[in-house]
Amino acid sequence: QVQLVESGGGLVQPGGSLRLSCAASGTFFSLYAMGWYRQAPGKQRELVAAITSGGSTNYADSVKGRFTISRDNAKKTVYLQMNSLKPEDTAVYYCKAERNIATTSYVYWGQGTQVTVSS
């Protein structure tokens, strides 16, 4: 069992920066692939960035060059550094942990943190 708690959201002006954190509890954090997703009002939840247990990363085209995902296995925490924020980045941001063992997928979500980009 893994519990995820996001923090770091808030109100920021266009062009500003925020760093989101996702703290995990439970064991074997280093074996989980971690991801940040977001959901804006009236839209489907979408992948923003992901990082594998080995440290490989991938990003949505809309955030490439602006956002950086990283993880600290010792602290059981994954981060999302968001720079050059735009109003269209406004959404609730969710952290996800996933691990596949044989034919079973273990997926856990955090409760989300609101990011609002507005002047």
Side-chain angles (χ1 to χ4, degrees), residues 1-2 4 22 24-34 51-56 71-78 97-100:
Q1 187 79 9
V2 174
L4 304 171
C22 173
S25 63
T27 55
F28 305 117
F29 171 80
S30 63
L31 300 181
Y32 282 82
M34 303 298 297
I51 185 166
T52 67
S53 58
S56 298
R71 66 189 297 161
D72 184 333
N73 290 333
K75 295 183 177 180
K76 296 184 180 180
T77 301
V78 63
E98 182 172 359
R99 183 184 177 193
N100 298 314

Side-chain angles (χ1 to χ4, degrees), residues 70-91:
S70 61
R71 66 189 297 161
D72 184 333
N73 290 333
K75 295 183 177 180
K76 296 184 180 180
T77 301
V78 63
Y79 304 97
L80 185 68
Q81 178 66 44
M82 305 186 295
N83 299 328
S84 302
L85 282 160
K86 304 175 181 180
E88 51 263 43
D89 295 318
T90 296

Side-chain angles (χ1 to χ4, degrees), residues 6 35-37 39 45 92-96 109-112:
E6 301 99 332
W36 285 99
Y37 289 71
Q39 188 166 19
R45 192 172 297 189
V92 178
Y93 283 70
Y94 296 91
C95 179
K96 175 187 174 184
W109 290 92
Q111 84 289 347

